[in-house]
C-alpha cells in the first residue's frame, strides 16, 4: 500500500505552479525588453511635452507630430533591438546556447519579439496620451489615427532588423552606431521625394490624409522585409523567407505605384464654418470650427463699428489660399503655438488688428504702390488699433522732419474719423470700402 502511494506521487502531473514558464513570457516581463518600451515612451513623452503648444487642440497637428516622431523612434527601436541581439555575445554564452534543444529560429524569436512588442506598446501608449491631452482643447475635427498601424509595424520591424544586426556585428558599439546611422539615413531619405512612398517616417502632405490601405501596405512592406531576413538568417528551411519577401515586395510595389494617389484631400481642410450674424460674416476653416466663438469674440468690436456700412466684403475667410473676390482673409490660425495655443487666441487684440489690416487691403490690385495712405491708418486705428502703435508713434516723434510731419497728419486723420458723428462716419466708411474694393484709391473720401 505504501509502494502504490509512492508510485502515484511520482507520476502525478506537474501543477501550474511548478510548470516552467515559456521563454517568450520570461523575456517579455523581465530584462531589457520592458526598458526598451519605456525608453520609447520617455523619448516621445519628452518630445510631445516640449512642443505641446504646437499640437494640443488640433487633431491633424497631433497626428502629424506622433508620426514625425518616427524620425527618432525608429533609430531608437533599431538600437534597442541591436543591443538585445548582441546580448549573448556580451555574456559569452553563445556556445552554450548553441547546444540548446530549441531551434535557432525559436531562440531568436524568443529574444527579439519581446523587444519589438514592448517598443510598439511604448509608442501606442504615447499616442494614447497625446490623444487624451488634445481632447480637452480640441477645436474641431476628430482624431486622426489612420497612420498608427503602419507606424507601429515599422517600429516593430526596426527592432527586429536591429536584432539581426546585433547578432551579426561583433562589437559593443553596434547599437549606438546603428542608431546614429539610422537617424542619418532617415534624414537623407526625407530629402528624396522618390523614396517617400517607401519611407515609413516620411512626412505627410499638409491638408491631406492617406488612403485607407496605405498604412496596411506600409505594415506589410516593413514587417515583411524584417520577417524575410529573420527566416533567411535562422530558419532551417530558408525558402520559407520567400513568402514574407513576396508580401513585402507586393506591398512596396503598390506603394510606389500609388504615388500621389496615396493621399486624398482632407474634406474639412477646404470647408468653411461661418457665423453670418455679423457683417462681414466670420468664417474659419472647418478643421478649427471650435475656434469660431473665439474668433468672433475677438472681432466683435470691429463688426459692431461696421454695422450699417456698405461696400464691405461679404465675409472674412480662412481658406489657407487666396481669398475669393468677395472675401477678406482672416489671420491664419495655424500653425499652432503662435496666435493659437490650446484652443485659445493668445493675443486677441493683435489678431483683430491683423484682420482689419486685411479688410482695409480688400481689393488691392497687382502692381499697386505699397505705401499705406492716411485713410488706411485712420480706419485701422478706429476699428482695431495696432497694439504697438504707441511705440511706432514715439519713434516717429523722435525721427526726422518727414517722420514727424507724417505723424502729425496721421494723428489728425485718426482724430477726425473718430470725432465724426455716427451717421457721417458710416457714410465715409461706405465710400472708403467701396473705393478699396474697386481698386480705386483716388475714390477714397478725404479726411
Amino acid at each position: 500500500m505504501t509502494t502504490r502511494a509512492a508510485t502515484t506521487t511520482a507520476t502525478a502531473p506537474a501543477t501550474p505552479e511548478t510548470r516552467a514558464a515559456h521563454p517568450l513570457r520570461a523575456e517579455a516581463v523581465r530584462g531589457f525588453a520592458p526598458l526598451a518600451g519605456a525608453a520609447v515612451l520617455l523619448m516621445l513623452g519628452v518630445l510631445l511635452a516640449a512642443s505641446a503648444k504646437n499640437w494640443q487642440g488640433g487633431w491633424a497637428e497631433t497626428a502629424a507630430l506622433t508620426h514625425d516622431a518616427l524620425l527618432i523612434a525608429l533609430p531608437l527601436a533599431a538600437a534597442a533591438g541591436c543591443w538585445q541581439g548582441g546580448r549573448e555575445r556580451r555574456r559569452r554564452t553563445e556556445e552554450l546556447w548553441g547546444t540548446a534543444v530549441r531551434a535557432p529560429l525559436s531562440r531568436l524569436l524568443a529574444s527579439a519579439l519581446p523587444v519589438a512588442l514592448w517598443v510598439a506598446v511604448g509608442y501606442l501608449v504615447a499616442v494614447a496620451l497625446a490623444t487624451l491631452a488634445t481632447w480637452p482643447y480640441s477645436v474641431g475635427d476628430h482624431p486622426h489615427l489612420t497612420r498608427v498601424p503602419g507606424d507601429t509595424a515599422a517600429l516593430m520591424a526596426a527592432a527586429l532588423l536591429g536584432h539581426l544586426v546585433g547578432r551579426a556585428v561583433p562589437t559593443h558599439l553596434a547599437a549606438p552606431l546603428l542608431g546614429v546611422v539610422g537617424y542619418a539615413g532617415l534624414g537623407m531619405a526625407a530629402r528624396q521625394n522618390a523614396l517617400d512612398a517607401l519611407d515609413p517616417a516620411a512626412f505627410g502632405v499638409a491638408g491631406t490624409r492617406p488612403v485607407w490601405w496605405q498604412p496596411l501596405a506600409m505594415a506589410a512592406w516593413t514587417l515583411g522585409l524584417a520577417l524575410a531576413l529573420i527566416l533567411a538568417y535562422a530558419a532551417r528551411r530558408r525558402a520559407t523567407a520567400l513568402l514574407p519577401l513576396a508580401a513585402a515586395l507586393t506591398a512596396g510595389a503598390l506603394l510606389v505605384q500609388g504615388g500621389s494617389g496615396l493621399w486624398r484631400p482632407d474634406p474639412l481642410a477646404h470647408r468653411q464654418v461661418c457665423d453670418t450674424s455679423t457683417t462681414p460674416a466670420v468664417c474659419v476653416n472647418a478643421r478649427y470650427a471650435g475656434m469660431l466663438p473665439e474668433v468672433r469674440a475677438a472681432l466683435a468690436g470691429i463688426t459692431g463699428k461696421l454695422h450699417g456700412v456698405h461696400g464691405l466684403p461679404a465675409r472674412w475667410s480662412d481658406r489657407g489660399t487666396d481669398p475669393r473676390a468677395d472675401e477678406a482673409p482672416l489671420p491664419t490660425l495655424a500653425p499652432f503655438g503662435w496666435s493659437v495655443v490650446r484652443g485659445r487666441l493668445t493675443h486677441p487684440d493683435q489678431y483683430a488688428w491683423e484682420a482689419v489690416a486685411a479688410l482695409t487691403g480688400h481689393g488691392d490690385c497687382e502692381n499697386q504702390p505699397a505705401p499705406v495712405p492716411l485713410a488706411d491708418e485712420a480706419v485701422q486705428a478706429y476699428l482695431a488699433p495696432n497694439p504697438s502703435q504707441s511705440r511706432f508713434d514715439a519713434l516717429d516723434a523722435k525721427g526726422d522732419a518727414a517722420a514727424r510731419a507724417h505723424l502729425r497728419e496721421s494723428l489728425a486723420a485718426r482724430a477726425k474719423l473718430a470725432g465724426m458723428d455716427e451717421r457721417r462716419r458710416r457714410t465715409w466708411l461706405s465710400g472708403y470700402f467701396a473705393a478699396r474694393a474697386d481698386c480705386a484709391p483716388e475714390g477714397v473720401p478725404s479726411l
Side-chain angles (χ1 to χ4, degrees):
M1 192 166 186
T2 302
T3 303
R4 182 178 303 170
T7 303
T8 304
T9 303
T11 59
T15 63
E17 288 77 8
T18 61
R19 189 176 300 147
H22 192 279
L24 188 62
R25 179 179 181 277
E27 292 278 3
V29 299
R30 295 192 299 270
F32 177 71
L35 296 178
V40 171
L41 176 59
L42 178 63
M43 182 274 296
L44 291 177
V46 171
L47 178 64
L48 291 168
S51 58
K53 66 179 184 179
N54 297 325
W55 54 267
Q56 271 189 294
W59 290 115
E61 288 77 7
T62 302
L65 185 63
T66 53
H67 170 75
D68 294 345
L70 289 186
L71 188 63
I72 301 176
L74 285 174
L76 179 60
C82 185
W83 184 258
Q84 180 78 347
R87 179 182 62 179
E88 306 309 329
R89 185 181 300 107
R90 294 192 302 275
R91 293 178 175 178
R92 298 181 180 179
T93 57
E94 290 178 293
E95 294 184 2
L96 178 62
W97 273 106
T99 62
V101 177
R102 293 184 180 274
L105 180 60
S106 299
R107 297 199 303 269
L108 186 150
L109 293 177
S111 178
L113 281 180
V115 175
L117 293 174
W118 272 105
V119 163
V121 169
Y123 177 72
L124 291 175
V125 171
V127 171
L129 292 177
T131 301
L132 292 176
T134 290
W135 211 292
Y137 307 105
S138 173
V139 295
D141 205 353
H142 54 78
H144 293 198
L145 303 176
T146 309
R147 305 190 74 174
V148 172
D151 295 345
T152 306
L155 284 169
M156 296 179 66
L160 295 174
L161 292 174
H163 191 92
L164 290 180
V165 174
R167 284 176 171 257
V169 179
T171 174
H172 294 347
L173 297 177
L177 287 176
L178 180 60
V180 172
V181 171
Y183 179 75
L186 289 175
M188 293 176 62
R191 300 181 181 180
Q192 306 295 326
N193 294 333
L195 300 177
D196 282 353
L198 299 177
D199 182 4
F203 298 152
V205 181
T208 62
R209 297 183 185 181
V211 295
W212 66 270
W213 55 267
Q214 189 270 349
L216 302 179
M218 184 61 70
W221 160 246
T222 53
L223 276 180
L225 281 180
L227 292 177
L229 290 174
I230 285 176
L231 292 174
Y233 177 85
R236 290 179 180 176
R237 297 180 180 179
R238 296 185 177 179
T240 55
L242 295 177
L243 183 60
L245 180 61
L249 294 179
T250 301
L254 289 174
L255 292 171
V256 171
Q257 291 179 359
S260 59
L262 295 175
W263 299 92
R264 300 292 171 83
D266 186 346
L268 292 181
H270 302 284
R271 286 176 49 200
Q272 300 280 293
V273 177
C274 300
D275 178 2
T276 58
S277 64
T278 63
T279 302
V282 180
C283 301
V284 299
N285 192 287
R287 285 176 52 199
Y288 311 126
M291 287 294 299
L292 183 57
E294 188 89 0
V295 172
R296 181 180 55 200
L299 303 180
I302 304 170
T303 55
K305 294 174 181 178
L306 291 175
H307 180 69
V309 174
H310 303 291
L312 295 169
R315 66 189 65 84
W316 275 294
S317 67
D318 179 23
R319 298 187 183 277
T321 58
D322 292 337
R324 297 173 181 174
D326 59 343
E327 296 177 344
L330 270 180
T332 180
L333 297 173
F336 288 179
W338 296 93
S339 60
V340 177
V341 173
R342 297 181 180 90
R344 294 290 181 267
L345 290 174
T346 54
H347 299 94
D349 52 350
Q350 177 72 19
Y351 186 87
W353 174 75
E354 292 178 4
V356 167
L359 191 66
T360 55
H362 177 65
D364 277 349
C365 301
E366 295 183 2
N367 303 321
Q368 188 170 309
V372 177
L374 293 177
D376 287 356
E377 294 182 6
V379 171
Q380 292 174 15
Y382 169 69
L383 294 178
N386 186 340
S388 303
Q389 189 63 53
S390 59
R391 182 166 60 89
F392 295 147
D393 290 346
L395 291 175
D396 286 342
K398 297 177 182 178
D400 56 19
R404 294 194 300 272
H406 176 79
L407 176 61
R408 287 192 298 270
E409 294 175 355
S410 178
L411 290 174
R414 297 179 215 169
K416 187 171 183 179
L417 179 61
M420 291 180 181
D421 62 77
E422 185 175 347
R423 179 172 170 275
R424 184 183 173 194
R425 185 169 48 237
R426 188 184 304 124
T427 302
W428 189 93
L429 287 173
S430 296
Y432 167 83
F433 282 109
R436 294 295 273 144
D438 293 338
C439 293
E442 67 279 358
V444 173
S446 61
L447 280 172

